Amino acid sequence: MPQFSKVSQDRLSTCHPQLQALMNEVIKLTDILVIEGHRGQEVQDKAFREGKSKLKWPQGKHNSLPSLAVDIAPYPLDWSDTPGFHRLAKVVLETAESMGIKIRWGGDWNGNGSSKDEKFLDLVHFELKGI
């Protein structure tokens, strides 16, 4: 069974307990790595400048502590494996639903089941809704 690396565990520990619980179930189903949980002001400002975030500090869900967002990827990481990110999102979204956790994926911001109508894709991003 896959397990989180120490680095992924440390990053996940900065996230809201619901995200931690969700990712601890997801890792039982598929191997993932945690790219980022909480994001401080310097990192958020850099992400905004580089176009990796549409929000300035402190507006992003990563900016609260605990973080209301987590960035994850399939392991091993291959940024060009778009289908892999979509498969992972399906696992995360189905697991969240089964656990009663309301979540939104950065590959389908409006939740209509399609990435084709999105102007900004953030395939690694998952955030809690309604918190």
Side-chain angles (χ1 to χ4, degrees):
M1 181 183 324
Q3 293 182 330
F4 285 118
S5 69
K6 172 77 168 108
V7 171
S8 284
Q9 287 176 1
D10 290 347
R11 292 171 179 164
L12 186 59
S13 74
T14 69
C15 295
H16 188 280
Q18 285 186 8
L19 286 174
Q20 291 184 43
L22 175 57
M23 294 307 138
N24 282 317
E25 287 304 310
V26 170
I27 192 75
K28 294 175 185 176
L29 304 170
T30 187
D31 205 355
I32 60 173
L33 61 96
V34 179
I35 297 169
E36 195 163 41
H38 174 72
R39 189 182 291 161
Q41 184 171 358
E42 185 177 325
V43 176
Q44 181 66 37
D45 289 346
K46 182 176 187 252
F48 181 79
R49 280 192 312 273
E50 293 175 351
K52 294 177 181 174
S53 176
K54 294 293 183 190
L55 300 173
K56 291 183 176 179
W57 170 271
Q59 299 166 330
K61 295 243 182 183
H62 284 283
N63 303 149
S64 63
L65 194 58
S67 179
L68 300 177
V70 64
D71 291 348
I72 63 169
Y75 182 84
L77 178 59
D78 176 357
W79 289 108
S80 65
D81 183 18
T82 302
F85 284 95
H86 282 265
R87 285 190 299 275
L88 176 57
K90 186 174 193 260
V91 171
V92 173
L93 294 169
E94 288 175 354
T95 304
E97 185 174 351
S98 75
M99 296 175 72
I101 297 173
K102 294 183 188 323
I103 199 157
R104 181 164 75 156
W105 175 44
D108 183 17
W109 294 105
N110 60 15
N112 70 351
S114 174
S115 292
K116 293 182 171 128
D117 59 344
E118 299 298 336
K119 290 179 175 50
F120 177 69
L121 287 177
D122 193 354
L123 301 181
V124 299
H125 182 87
F126 296 87
E127 65 183 40
L128 292 174
K129 287 178 17 180
I131 292 183

